Amino acid sequence: MDVEPDVLFEFVLVLKGDPRGIQRLPDSFADYVTGDDRPRTMHLWEAACGYYRWIVDVIYDAGGKMYLNIGWEKFARHHSLEAGFILLFSYFGDMDMSVKVFDETRCRRDYHGDSTDEEDD
């Protein structure tokens, strides 16, 4: 049984506008991860499916706001993200984050054999 690392920080994004465009991350998360050094990338993977990761560039505006940029479009396209979807990000440190996707019905979307690790008796 694989042991998932401890979650250090979680946040939710509601996709508005173009879901493939750059996405602003919450200020409290940006404050948490930046410290003295601003990260240049984040590594995203589907929750319960860590075998494929997307490297996504992180950019900052003049006010210090943090955004997912290059690489995000690929992640969004692969997961068929749409405006109104809700994403739950779990941060594990070392710029690694898992993402759970909930569609417009507020139900979690399963990708690539996601499982809850339940066994039949």
Side-chain angles (χ1 to χ4, degrees):
M1 171 153 97
D2 291 334
V3 177
E4 189 169 301
D6 291 334
V7 175
L8 301 176
F9 198 100
E10 285 187 306
F11 61 91
V12 172
L13 283 182
V14 177
L15 296 178
K16 299 176 183 174
D18 181 4
R20 293 183 183 103
I22 66 171
Q23 297 295 318
R24 181 175 166 195
L25 301 178
D27 293 342
S28 56
F29 176 69
D31 293 343
Y32 181 81
V33 297
T34 54
D36 293 332
D37 296 321
R38 290 180 167 181
R40 294 180 180 197
T41 61
M42 288 288 174
H43 306 110
L44 307 181
W45 73 87
E46 301 159 15
C49 181
Y51 63 84
Y52 189 82
R53 295 173 189 243
W54 286 263
I55 297 173
V56 179
D57 288 348
V58 176
I59 61 171
Y60 301 84
D61 67 14
K65 307 298 183 196
M66 183 179 190
Y67 299 84
L68 296 174
N69 190 23
I70 297 172
W72 173 254
E73 180 180 357
K74 221 178 208 182
F75 181 88
R77 189 178 307 278
H78 182 83
H79 293 89
S80 303
L81 299 183
E82 297 178 18
F85 280 22
I86 297 172
L87 308 180
L88 172 62
F89 288 82
S90 297
Y91 179 69
F92 300 101
D94 295 325
M95 304 310 130
D96 286 332
M97 290 196 295
S98 70
V99 183
K100 291 181 183 177
V101 178
F102 297 83
D103 64 20
E104 68 281 347
T105 67
R106 304 305 184 239
C107 294
R108 183 171 170 205
R109 297 186 107 194
D110 291 323
Y111 299 98
H112 310 289
D114 264 2
S115 71
T116 58
D117 291 50
E118 293 179 6
E119 295 182 17
D120 293 331
D121 289 284

